[in-house]
Structure formats: C-alpha cells, structure tokens
Amino acid sequence: MCGITGIVTQNSDNIGELLVRCSSKLTYRGYDSVGVAAVRNGAVDLRKDVGTIEEVNELLGLSSMKGDRGIAQLRWATYGAPTKMNAQPHFGCEEVFYGAHNGNLHNYVEYKKELIETGHIVRSENDGELCVHAVDKYYEQTGDMFEAVRLSIQDLKGAFAYAVGRADEQEIYAVKMGSSLVAGVADNATIVSSDLPSVLPLTNNVIYLADGEMLVLTPHDVKVYRIEDGKQLERVPQISYVDARAAEKGGYPHFMLKEINEQPKVAQDVLGILESSKNEEWLKLIENASRHYLVACGSSYNASIVGTYYFNRLAGIPMLHAIGGQFQPMYGTTMDEDSLSILVSQSGETKDILNVLNLINAKHYGKTLGVLNVIGSTLMFQADSHIPMACGYEVSVPATKTYFSQSIIFAYLAAKLGERNGHIDSSEAKIFINQLRNDLPSLTQTTIDRTGILAKNLARTMMDVKDLYCLGYGFTDGVAREGALKIKEICYNHCEGMYSSEFKHGPLSIVTKNYPVIFTTTTEDSWMVINHINEVKARHGRTIVVGEFEKTLEPYVANKHDYLEVPKSDVLINPLLDVIPLQLLSYFLSVDIGINPDLPRNLSKTLTVD
Ligand code: F6R
C-alpha cells in the first residue's frame, strides 16, 4: 500500500515530469490520492488531491512542476479518509520540511497528541505527517538533518518507510523500517522508491535496503547508513535485468488481460526455474522437516489450498495451511525447530506474512521457504531459501499469473517429492512432470483461446447479478475460492467461494429461481459434483460449470456459455486450467459493468499494513 518516490537531480529543472513518469509505475500500490512536493530555489511547491495520478496530474499540472528535487506519493488510505488534506506529501510545522511515508505508525494517536502538546501544528489525520514532524522536532534540537532523520526513528513505532527533505538542503533522506525501499543511481540523478518499477524508467543501477537502514540521496550518489549508530555501510549498486517494458500494457486494454495472456509463458518459465539445480535445496528443505505449514493471504492463500491437495495426493505430506493472520493463533504453539513454513507471497512484502516470518525467526520455529515474485523483497532476503515465481511484473491489482505460477510450483514439488519418497509410482510422477513441462504451456493457451469467448458471452448475461456462489470439490476447492475472490474484487459482487459439499449445510437456502451457482470440477470428481449441482437445480437455480467437457454434466447447463469448457487433459492438470475461465469471466464482467479491473476501489496490490 502507498508508493513513495524521491528524486534528486543535478542540472535539470523538470522534477515534476520525472516524478510523475516514475511514480506512475506504482499506481498498483495506491490510487486514492496523489501528491508531489517539488523544490526550486529553496522553496517547496506542494500539490496534492484525491484521485489517480492521471487525474491529479491533469487537475494540478504535476508534470509541469519545476525544481531539481522532490517527493511524490500515491496513497492507499489507512489512517485518515482519502481527502486532499490527508493526501501526501506533508509539510512539517512550516513549509520547510516536506515528506511522505508508506506503512503505518502504531503510536499515531499518542504521538500526535504529544506533538500537538509541544506546539507542533499537525494538519491532517494521516500518520505520514507525523514522520515529517518527527524530523522537524529533532532538527530543532540538533540543527542537523542527518541526525534529525536518524533520531526520528526512536519516536515512530510501526512498519514504515519514509522520504523527507528540507527546502534549503539539496539532499533527500529516506529510512526503511519494515516497508520496502529501493534506490537507484543514474547519470546526474538519484532516486528512492517503494518499488523497483518506478526506479527503472530512470536507471537499472539499483541498491536494495534492509530494515534499520537510511539513505542520503545527492544528485551524484546514494549513501547508505545504519540508523542505530549512523555508521556508513558499503553498498554497490547492482544491475537489475528486469525489463522496464514489462510494466507497459503492450497493446492490451488492461494489465489484467495482458497478465492472463502471459500465463502460457509463465508456465514455461516457472517450470524452467523448478528444473534448475536449485530444486535440490527446496526439496531437501521439505524432506528434512517433520511438520509443514503453508502460509499466505488472498489469492496466494487460494493457490496454497490447491497446493495442499497436491502435497497430499502426490507426496503424502500433510500441509497445514493458514491465512497469514491466522497462523500464530492457529499453529503458534505447535511449531518447533524441525518445522518448515512455506510463506507464499507475490510481493514478498505483505505485512501479515512478514509478521509470521518474524515470529518464526524470533522463536526459532524451524526453517522458512519463500515462494515469491518480487526479487529484492523482504521475504526474499529473510527466508532461508526462496522459489521465484518467474512471472515478471504483475501490475494489475487482481493476481492472475502469480496465482497460476504458485499452483504450478506446488504441483511440481509434490510430484518430485512423491517420486523420491515413493508415495507415488516413479513412472506416474515422471509422466505428470513431463505433462507439466511439455503440455501445460500449450494447454494454457488453448484454455485462454477456448474459454475467452465463452466467458465474454457469459459475462453479458450476468450484468444484473449481484450475488452468487462459486463452488469447488477436492482439487478445485482453492480454484473456486480464487474465482469468487476475483468476482468480488473487480466486479464488486458478493460471490462466496466454498466447498461444494458444504453448500447444502446452510447456504442452499439462498437459492431461488435462476440464482447463479458456479461449479468447478475435475473429471475425477464430477460424479460427486453432480449431486451438488442437482441440489441447486432442484430449487430452480442456474448452474454454471467450469471443467473439462463431460456428457454427464451437459444436461445441467441451459446455454453453451454456461459451460466454461477447458481442454481435455490429465485429471491433475485440470485444477491448474480451471481457474483461467474464472479469471476471464471476472475480467469481462468487470469491464462490462464499467469498472477498471486493474484498479478496483479500496484495494492496493501490496499490503504492508496489519
Ligand atoms: C487478489 C490479490 C490479493 C493478494 C494478497 C496477498 O487478487 O491479489 O488477495 O493475493 O493481498 O498478496 P501477496 O501475494 O503479495 O502476499
């Protein structure tokens, strides 16, 4: 949530254009409000308002702002409503200190009170403002910007990162205390940002920071210091090979559609990673543990549910799964040093997951294996080992290709483990792995091609639907939940994802004539799912089916497009493909309703708050 970008340049006077160009790449992190503070000749021009970066830029002419340094912020509201006053950056007491943060201050209420009692003029209800006041406060005491920033940390409790400057100083300072921060060094300019996409338009010379570190940006270089004692740390910029064009729509109307269409390549790329020599390390970590936990949030959690079925079926390994926030209260007393926790997170920065990671590390609760997409994320640096999802940027707020990659990772690992521990026949494991490697990319493409048009037609018939269920059984348990999450998230419909045999235990009472219920199934479970379909049909509900074509299922759908038919494949490949028509259905429905699926209201792609 929230994205900050700070830039210092040497000779240029076009800071507004640079900040808008770079920070617009962080739109997925926040689009409630936007602001830019630009400094020219010792004066700060601060412009901010409610809306996306395009809207606020048009309203306030952000990209025409002059100056040689400045800070931009894209906000996802937590503390304080999304208003102009709460938009960031903020000033300190006077228009001298300017700054913006990402994250949350847990001591917001007490600290605000303390600042006001000691004469500070706090204007907003946003915790980011307090970071600027904390620097202001310590500058008053020390007269030194470096020390003021360093000391400010002792007043601020929570997980956050901020960037701050002073009107009469050329440097910009930034701290990392639990939220992501990355810096870049270009010719005659430096940049600090919440995430790599906004650094890459300027440079691919990148410096990653660790918690407890601070930066000083001049036009020529970025210096890194340890906050605790102010000691300078050696940091050489590394070349990032991430292609900045990956954050462009590439001819698609939305990032979501582009990312759905990238899934055949994702399948190929992630299987390449899984077949690399690193896989021995990942397999050993799992084999050496006596107890296994799979921890994730949102879509990553839904993929983890699919994973538990693969680990059970193919490897005979029971995986206890938990939502990030559930983990400690649910399993916190059952762990020991032989446990392995697989932490699954696209961003690698989700606070609920980092809380789990910190708990495990602090209590020596065994090893951790990150499954992550963002290279350079906190999870990557702090887990004992990590598996990259190999998806490139996922810009659209709804996860699609990363969910897909996670499911493939679990399917592959489970098959490899099963082959090694003899839970399944070695030839069976080999056949499945070959199918993943050789057939999955093209099956994924066929699924997109075949179900795209069906999903589009189906969406048109669902424009008035406000409430529905999406049910799964066995392997499609997580698939149905993921489909429901997509529909909720980008269509603003209530769509509950649940286990299909549970439906009769209460929710069935909601079904009246034409009430829609989507059933996802594999060919091995369709005999059972038919019972659940019948229970809905008998109450005159509308049943929609997602799965391979089966004659036995055909009579239950009223129209061709009510059967989102995926291509014929192995029963263990079915659950990987079944999610795709649901992604497409949610996409087309969202667009038909008039929503931008890339930026659903109230959401942010990276949730670095509790
Ligand atoms: C839904 C979605 C979210 C994320 C969740 C976890 O489409 O994207 O539910 O899956 O916020 O994020 P990561 O995987 O970054 O930890």
Side-chain angles (χ1 to χ4, degrees):
M1 46 78 55
C2 297
I4 48 177
T5 306
I7 298 180
V8 182
T9 69
Q10 189 171 23
N11 294 320
S12 64
D13 197 22
N14 60 340
I15 193 70
E17 188 276 317
L18 286 176
L19 282 169
V20 168
R21 178 150 51 93
C22 293
S23 64
S24 64
K25 304 287 182 222
L26 299 182
T27 299
Y28 63 89
R29 297 177 74 95
Y31 36 91
D32 288 339
S33 61
V34 174
V36 170
V39 188
R40 190 187 204 198
N41 301 329
V44 185
D45 178 5
L46 174 60
R47 303 183 196 179
K48 55 185 185 176
D49 214 326
V50 174
T52 63
I53 190 152
E54 287 84 11
E55 290 161 356
V56 179
N57 187 22
E58 196 172 326
L59 189 74
L60 302 176
L62 302 179
S63 41
S64 63
M65 290 169 80
K66 300 290 177 214
D68 58 8
R69 59 197 185 275
I71 295 170
Q73 206 259 19
L74 281 65
R75 178 164 185 248
W76 181 73
T78 52
Y79 283 53
T83 61
K84 181 172 176 171
M85 186 57 88
N86 290 331
Q88 302 201 48
H90 295 284
F91 282 124
C93 288
E94 281 160 26
E95 297 187 3
V96 176
F97 294 93
Y98 61 97
H101 94 321
N102 162 34
N104 277 166
L105 300 187
H106 298 158
N107 62 335
Y108 167 72
V109 175
E110 313 87 271
Y111 192 48
K112 182 174 178 177
K113 188 163 170 278
E114 183 190 318
L115 286 166
I116 291 171
E117 280 168 4
T118 53
H120 282 255
I121 305 156
V122 182
R123 299 173 188 87
S124 74
E125 289 160 345
N126 173 245
D127 51 349
E129 187 181 348
L130 305 194
C131 298
V132 191
H133 282 279
V135 175
D136 197 338
K137 169 184 156 182
Y138 283 102
Y139 189 87
E140 232 172 83
Q141 294 175 14
T142 61
D144 180 279
M145 194 59 181
F146 181 87
E147 277 304 292
V149 173
R150 202 173 74 74
L151 295 172
S152 70
I153 295 309
Q154 64 198 40
D155 287 12
L156 306 171
K157 309 278 173 270
F160 58 89
Y162 75 74
V164 67
R166 218 185 113 86
D168 56 6
E169 289 200 16
Q170 218 197 0
E171 294 80 10
I172 283 180
Y173 299 77
V175 303
K176 174 166 161 44
M177 295 296 293
S179 290
S180 58
L181 206 61
V182 53
V185 183
D187 293 338
N188 301 323
T190 58
I191 179 167
V192 61
S193 169
S194 302
D195 208 349
L196 189 62
S198 82
V199 174
L200 293 178
L202 214 58
T203 178
N204 63 351
N205 285 321
V206 174
I207 299 175
Y208 291 103
L209 281 298
D211 285 334
E213 294 181 351
M214 66 181 273
L215 297 173
V216 183
L217 273 76
T218 70
H220 319 286
D221 64 12
V222 173
K223 291 201 169 70
V224 182
Y225 300 86
R226 192 159 56 209
I227 295 175
E228 200 183 0
D229 54 9
K231 188 175 179 299
Q232 189 174 345
L233 304 168
E234 190 64 40
R235 283 297 152 78
V236 182
Q238 306 164 15
I239 307 271
S240 166
Y241 293 100
V242 174
D243 185 352
R245 283 170 310 179
E248 309 289 337
K249 283 191 197 134
Y252 287 92
H254 298 99
F255 281 110
M256 184 178 178
L257 192 59
K258 177 185 178 220
E259 288 159 6
I260 291 171
N261 275 282
E262 283 169 352
Q263 291 177 124
K265 177 156 175 0
V266 165
Q268 205 163 13
D269 291 350
V270 76
L271 284 159
I273 298 254
L274 288 164
E275 304 251 275
S276 73
S277 54
K278 277 287 273 185
N279 84 6
E280 189 56 33
E281 178 182 319
W282 305 324
L283 295 169
K284 277 257 155 53
L285 263 176
I286 301 175
E287 283 168 341
N288 291 343
S290 58
R291 229 177 295 201
H292 303 83
Y293 301 86
L294 254 175
V295 196
C297 304
S299 292
S300 300
Y301 176 67
N302 293 334
S304 302
I305 295 177
V306 176
T308 57
Y309 288 90
Y310 280 113
F311 283 111
N312 171 62
R313 169 76 160 266
L314 298 177
I317 297 176
M319 286 274 170
L320 300 173
H321 58 77
I323 295 166
Q326 269 181 334
F327 179 78
Q328 200 270 342
M330 191 177 251
Y331 299 125
T333 66
T334 64
M335 305 197 61
D336 58 29
E337 57 193 15
D338 295 326
S339 303
L340 172 72
S341 297
I342 304 180
L343 307 176
V344 190
S345 173
Q346 184 282 131
S347 59
E349 297 293 347
T350 297
K351 181 75 178 358
D352 295 351
I353 297 302
L354 297 187
N355 288 346
V356 173
L357 181 68
N358 292 337
L359 173 87
I360 293 169
N361 288 343
K363 301 233 174 184
H364 307 292
Y365 279 166
K367 300 262 190 240
T368 50
L369 172 61
V371 176
L372 52 92
N373 192 41
V374 176
I375 300 303
S377 59
T378 306
L379 181 59
M380 177 182 129
F381 286 123
Q382 292 185 8
D384 291 310
S385 179
H386 70 272
I387 306 178
M389 295 176 197
C391 294
Y393 287 138
E394 189 176 63
V395 177
S396 190
V397 167
T400 51
K401 58 180 177 173
T402 53
Y403 163 95
F404 187 60
S405 173
Q406 291 158 5
S407 312
I408 297 170
I409 290 170
F410 299 136
Y412 178 91
L413 291 177
K416 272 278 172 203
L417 289 161
E419 181 184 10
R420 284 155 66 120
N421 68 17
H423 187 74
I424 49 170
D425 200 65
S426 154
S427 60
E428 196 188 329
K430 283 200 171 68
I431 290 170
F432 180 57
I433 289 168
N434 279 337
Q435 281 172 342
L436 287 175
R437 194 190 299 124
N438 301 332
D439 304 339
L440 186 61
S442 60
L443 284 166
T444 306
Q445 188 60 56
T446 312
T447 307
I448 295 170
D449 297 343
R450 187 179 292 180
T451 58
I453 189 74
L454 292 169
K456 197 171 188 166
N457 291 338
L458 176 58
R460 290 209 181 110
T461 70
M462 294 178 73
M463 298 275 289
D464 297 328
V465 169
K466 288 277 157 277
D467 181 38
L468 70 161
Y469 274 80
C470 187
L471 307 182
Y473 187 85
F475 272 94
T476 62
D477 178 5
V479 175
R481 289 172 201 258
E482 177 60 7
L485 177 59
K486 294 283 91 86
I487 292 172
K488 273 194 275 255
E489 186 181 10
I490 60 170
C491 306
Y492 310 159
N493 287 330
H494 172 248
C495 182
E496 207 170 319
M498 70 183 294
Y499 208 74
S500 66
S501 62
E502 272 295 287
F503 196 61
K504 59 183 175 289
H505 294 285
L508 184 60
S509 66
I510 205 164
V511 174
T512 51
K513 192 165 188 304
N514 289 334
Y515 183 91
V517 183
I518 303 174
F519 288 89
T520 58
T521 185
T522 65
T523 45
E524 97 184 335
D525 291 326
S526 52
W527 67 273
M528 171 61 92
V529 172
I530 283 174
N531 296 320
H532 308 148
I533 292 178
N534 269 312
E535 287 153 11
V536 172
K537 262 285 176 236
R539 274 95 193 162
H540 309 291
R542 174 183 179 187
T543 50
I544 297 162
V545 175
V546 177
E548 230 180 75
F549 178 78
E550 288 183 82
K551 268 249 162 285
T552 48
L553 284 166
E554 201 180 18
Y556 296 100
V557 292
N559 300 294
K560 187 167 167 41
H561 50 244
D562 284 359
Y563 200 150
L564 296 172
E565 186 197 321
V566 303
K568 203 168 167 35
S569 67
D570 185 89
V571 68
L572 292 174
I573 303 277
N574 280 183
L576 300 173
L577 301 179
D578 275 4
V579 77
I580 294 169
L582 294 169
Q583 295 170 341
L584 288 162
L585 173 64
S586 66
Y587 170 77
F588 288 120
L589 191 52
S590 172
V591 172
D592 284 350
I593 295 170
I595 295 168
N596 176 356
D598 287 340
L599 302 177
R601 71 181 174 211
N602 303 340
L603 301 182
S604 166
K605 185 135 189 92
T606 311
L607 287 164
T608 55
V609 291
D610 285 307

